[in-house]
Amino acid sequence: MRIRSIELELPDRDSAVRFFRDTWGLLDAGERNGTSYLRGTEDIPYVVSVTESGEPAVTAVTFSGSKTELERIRRRAAAARVPLGPVRKFDEPGGGSGFYLEGPEGHVFRFVVERKRAKKLRPDRDRPLQVTHVVLNARDREACTRFAVEVLGFRLSDRTGFMNFVRCDSVHHAIAYAQSDNSWLNHIAFEMIDIDAVMRGIGRLKDAGIETFWGPGRHGPGNNVFAYFVAPFGAAVEYTSEIQRIGNRYKVGTPGDWKWPLNRNDHWGVSARNAAAISQAERKFSFRPLVAS
Ligand SMILES: [Fe+2]
């Protein structure tokens, strides 16, 4: 199982596509039925879809897996009486079939068995490889984590004072739940090939008039290098690299394991976090309820 893409609805699709392609570094992966698709350099058919809509929203965070993995999730979701869509085919790059389901706070996840992988492209320091994690705000992050573990079959990697990190493969986290008073999108993280690529990205965004609101820095849980920005269409997006790969014997961290010294909230301590910028970005992106997907 791996995280594959995020599906967005935005009032100005064309300008969002221009940002993702010309500034963020994604590549055009085509357009179908009014939806634009963008990809990174990994073998994933696309990593972001953008559909024009009156209100900004997330319609799903998409994972791809084997037929057996999807059948298991579907069985557990049905047993847990989780809102569950029908199995259907998807007309999109990579094709395949799958289904949507909804988590306890309205976070919509889609699971797809891909018909075919895309051709892997040559790694490029100015382009993301793929989407590597999505962070979701949660009113009750423990209930969301139980759902991710018990229904989706994910594993808890770490728990800090305000976030729970869960994984679906060896990457430290594919989803993290951030304790909040809402259930909106927190941010989308794109993996870069190395620190140099993250730093080049910071420069490229700066050239486009977009400063980081946090970063560059190195996180505690996951040990990844990060830089966060607010995209012109309103969502918080992250360049990241060197995310930790872990095995089944990884000891789940507790808030006591992730304490920072005073005035420090990452390993480097070279950049402060602009909390106002991220809460403004979060406000724009709620999940479209499953019935409407
Ligand atoms: Fe992140």
Side-chain angles (χ1 to χ4, degrees):
M1 180 73 60
R2 63 177 179 174
I3 191 163
R4 195 196 72 169
S5 56
I6 184 158
E7 325 304 329
L8 301 174
E9 290 189 353
L10 295 168
D12 187 348
R13 178 186 66 156
D14 292 347
S15 72
V17 167
R18 270 197 304 278
F19 165 76
F20 275 127
R21 193 189 54 209
D22 302 340
T23 306
W24 198 246
L26 294 177
L27 292 147
D28 196 347
E31 186 188 333
R32 289 187 206 184
N33 310 316
T35 298
S36 295
Y37 298 92
L38 296 130
R39 62 166 292 176
T41 57
E42 275 297 306
D43 62 349
I44 298 172
Y46 76 92
V47 299
V48 176
S49 73
V50 188
T51 306
E52 181 100 12
S53 175
E55 287 289 315
V58 182
T59 52
V61 178
T62 301
F63 292 83
S64 61
S66 69
K67 197 160 178 276
T68 314
E69 284 173 322
L70 264 72
E71 280 168 0
R72 271 193 215 123
I73 292 172
R74 207 172 160 79
R75 255 200 317 272
R76 287 191 299 255
R81 300 188 183 282
V82 162
L84 180 63
V87 175
R88 46 173 282 207
K89 283 197 162 60
F90 297 107
D91 178 17
E92 62 189 21
S97 62
F99 54 87
Y100 291 88
L101 59 75
E102 197 176 295
E105 295 190 21
H107 301 131
V108 175
F109 301 97
R110 186 172 67 131
F111 292 88
V112 176
V113 179
E114 265 163 28
R115 199 157 35 79
K116 59 178 182 199
R117 291 268 164 89
K119 186 170 179 286
K120 195 169 176 159
L121 307 175
R122 193 158 19 136
D124 183 332
R125 286 206 161 79
D126 295 321
R127 298 192 183 287
L129 297 162
Q130 59 194 335
V131 165
T132 179
H133 64 260
V134 172
V135 174
L136 305 172
N137 287 350
R139 290 190 173 88
D140 183 347
R141 66 182 155 126
E142 296 306 331
C144 289
T145 303
R146 274 197 302 280
F147 160 81
V149 170
E150 292 168 9
V151 177
L152 306 184
F154 292 3
R155 280 169 175 264
L156 178 63
S157 298
D158 272 299
R159 189 185 268 117
T160 69
F162 71 104
M163 278 178 87
N164 290 4
F165 298 83
V166 293
R167 66 186 188 273
C168 63
D169 57 11
S170 64
V171 177
H172 180 275
H173 54 284
I175 293 289
Y177 290 107
Q179 191 64 49
S180 183
D181 61 359
N182 62 67
S183 310
W184 299 323
L185 173 70
N186 184 295
H187 70 265
I188 314 161
F190 295 80
E191 187 173 16
M192 304 301 279
I193 57 174
D194 56 18
I195 298 177
D196 191 56
V198 172
M199 296 304 288
R200 290 172 67 99
I202 294 172
R204 191 170 52 252
L205 272 281
K206 195 181 168 83
D207 288 344
I210 303 167
E211 301 281 344
T212 60
F213 68 79
W214 191 25
R218 187 185 284 280
H219 282 308
N223 201 40
N224 46 321
V225 169
F226 64 84
Y228 293 91
F229 311 86
V230 178
F233 58 85
V237 286
E238 176 189 3
Y239 281 139
T240 188
S241 72
E242 299 194 356
I243 177 85
Q244 195 179 0
R245 261 73 179 174
I246 59 179
N248 289 344
R249 291 210 296 259
Y250 184 82
K251 185 178 167 291
V252 178
T254 64
D257 296 319
W258 298 112
K259 284 219 164 78
W260 297 109
L262 192 65
N263 299 328
R264 176 62 63 94
N265 52 20
D266 80 303
H267 284 297
W268 296 348
V270 298
S271 127
R273 188 171 187 267
N274 180 348
I278 194 158
S279 61
Q280 217 178 8
E282 287 166 7
R283 226 158 267 286
K284 300 194 176 188
F285 285 86
S286 53
F287 276 76
R288 176 95 54 230
L290 179 57
V291 283
S293 295

